[in-house]
Amino acid sequence: MQTGWVERDGSRYYFLKSGDMATGVQSIDGEEYYFLPDGTMGTNIWHDMKFYGEDGTYIPDYVNENWEKDKNGWKMKGEDGNYLIDQWYLLEGKWYLFSKQGYRLTGWQKVGASWYHLNEIGQMDVGWSKVDGNWYYFNDIGQMQTGWREIDGTWYYLNATGQRVIGWQLIDGSYYFFNAEGKMITGWFYQGGYWYYTDPDGKMAAGWRFINNSWYFLNSSGHMETGWLQLGMFRYYLNASGAMATGWQTIGNKFYYFNANGAMQTGWNDIDGKRYYLAPDDGHLWFGWLTLSDGSRYYCSADGSLTYGWLGPYYLAPGDGHMVTGDYVIDGITYRFDANGVLIGTV
């Protein structure tokens, strides 16, 4: 397998370690080269606004014959032979700016009400450009942008000095989150040990949100809540995924019931044709004997539902299920029960 440099018919080629012929821009032994689509090494050629010299290497400071350099910097003569002074000039697809003294400018420049940035060889930046460790965006005519910008279908925010922001940002009274590339995030994301949700417009969600057929609650800091949640008079349970629980739920070896709005129920509840008692203090489903504050007694069966009729020596009234005492008529027969509800006999 052939690798490295190869000369054929007066042209140079380079074969990668994989054996593939190099095309496009390649870094070889610390130098940058450009290879044509057929693999020929480019010489004395411009590509992507870069110039590759006689030996094929990229020349960063290449300028054409109209450039002149003195102790103060670079000057250039225009098509009329005069030096370019206090003006923009388009050369080989790139814009340059010249000072009132006729020198090529670099770095940040304010022209009118707009800021521009010219790279180290004076070329005006357009699109994204990283300057002194910060990212900026320049429109098609080189003007530095600020505020909200939708670029290639993604929203970014550029602060008052044009820097692309990342992380949490408070903008016009709302919080937004931007990833490491500055892209505004929408939907669910995990950050700093918490799940957050940002609405389709990017604003951090707080309070209840209905997402993919489930309700979620995000607190004032945007954190998705899980577990028990007390809001005013109502108590809710949010499972491990944050989704609000409804219906019967087993939590910590106890049974609870949450209505369609997610509120935990307490006291007597009629559910699917059966009656249940849910403890008033914490809402857990009651089993066995139940004595209420008025002294009335009831019995909740193994599935928690209220029992009616005979239960051993006890009788539970068919209307509301209370345990009867004293004389009570059942199927036309009067029975007598003691104060504890135990059957004594017929009368």
Side-chain angles (χ1 to χ4, degrees):
M1 181 176 66
Q2 195 168 37
T3 60
W5 289 105
V6 173
E7 289 199 27
R8 293 177 184 169
D9 301 324
S11 296
R12 298 192 77 193
Y13 302 84
Y14 189 82
F15 289 85
L16 306 173
K17 291 181 179 180
S18 63
D20 296 326
M21 184 173 63
T23 58
V25 176
Q26 301 288 339
S27 180
I28 302 170
D29 298 329
E31 297 285 355
E32 183 178 314
Y33 297 84
Y34 173 67
F35 296 87
L36 300 176
D38 65 358
T40 304
M41 183 189 76
T43 59
N44 296 322
I45 187 172
W46 285 95
H47 172 71
D48 196 20
M49 302 307 169
K50 293 181 178 180
F51 186 78
Y52 297 85
E54 183 68 30
D55 63 355
T57 60
Y58 165 51
I59 304 175
D61 296 323
Y62 176 81
V63 292
N64 74 12
E65 59 187 12
N66 291 328
W67 287 104
E68 294 180 9
K69 186 177 183 182
D70 62 24
K71 64 180 181 179
N72 295 315
W74 287 94
K75 290 186 172 184
M76 185 179 185
K77 292 180 180 179
E79 296 176 358
D80 59 2
N82 295 318
Y83 289 110
L84 301 172
I85 296 175
D86 193 23
Q87 69 180 89
W88 288 99
Y89 189 75
L90 181 64
L91 174 66
E92 295 168 341
K94 286 288 186 179
W95 284 98
Y96 297 80
L97 180 62
F98 294 86
S99 70
K100 293 180 180 179
Q101 293 74 37
Y103 289 100
R104 181 189 72 187
L105 296 172
T106 60
W108 288 104
Q109 303 294 330
K110 190 174 185 181
V111 180
S114 299
W115 281 97
Y116 300 80
H117 186 264
L118 308 163
N119 66 19
E120 67 276 5
I121 59 173
Q123 297 171 340
M124 182 188 78
D125 285 332
V126 294
W128 287 111
S129 182
K130 192 174 186 179
V131 182
D132 297 329
N134 294 303
W135 284 96
Y136 299 82
Y137 188 79
F138 302 88
N139 64 15
D140 291 343
I141 57 174
Q143 295 168 328
M144 183 193 79
Q145 303 295 285
T146 60
W148 287 106
R149 289 293 181 272
E150 186 178 17
I151 302 167
D152 296 330
T154 299
W155 283 97
Y156 300 84
Y157 189 80
L158 308 159
N159 65 21
T161 60
Q163 296 173 2
R164 186 178 74 187
V165 301
I166 60 173
W168 284 109
Q169 301 292 328
L170 179 62
I171 303 170
D172 297 330
S174 296
Y175 280 98
Y176 300 81
F177 187 79
F178 302 85
N179 69 12
E181 297 175 343
K183 297 178 180 179
M184 184 190 78
I185 300 301
T186 60
W188 288 110
F189 66 95
Y190 190 74
Q191 171 69 23
Y194 298 98
W195 281 99
Y196 297 85
Y197 184 82
T198 48
D199 291 328
D201 62 0
K203 293 178 182 177
M204 183 192 80
W208 289 107
R209 287 294 187 278
F210 190 63
I211 304 165
N212 294 332
N213 296 317
S214 293
W215 283 98
Y216 298 83
F217 188 83
L218 303 114
N219 66 22
S220 59
S221 298
H223 304 163
M224 182 193 77
E225 295 280 6
T226 59
W228 288 106
L229 174 68
Q230 185 78 39
L231 293 176
M233 298 174 57
F234 300 103
R235 200 173 188 211
Y236 303 84
Y237 189 79
L238 308 163
N239 65 27
S241 71
M244 181 190 77
T246 60
W248 288 110
Q249 301 290 329
T250 304
I251 303 169
N253 297 320
K254 292 184 178 182
F255 295 96
Y256 300 83
Y257 187 79
F258 302 85
N259 68 13
N261 295 321
M264 183 193 77
Q265 302 299 285
T266 59
W268 290 112
N269 280 265
D270 294 310
I271 303 167
D272 297 330
K274 293 184 178 182
R275 192 164 177 80
Y276 300 87
Y277 187 80
L278 303 159
D281 54 349
D282 69 353
H284 75 269
L285 177 65
W286 199 275
F287 297 97
W289 284 107
L290 167 68
T291 303
L292 298 185
S293 59
D294 63 0
S296 59
R297 300 191 73 200
Y298 303 83
Y299 188 84
C300 300
S301 64
D303 68 354
S305 61
L306 185 63
T307 299
Y308 303 93
W310 288 105
L311 179 67
Y314 304 93
Y315 189 78
L316 304 160
D320 62 2
H322 75 276
M323 182 193 76
V324 302
T325 58
D327 292 348
Y328 193 84
V329 178
I330 304 170
D331 296 331
I333 301 172
T334 301
Y335 294 85
R336 182 166 290 170
F337 299 87
D338 68 15
N340 295 317
V342 176
L343 176 65
I344 297 172
T346 58
V347 175

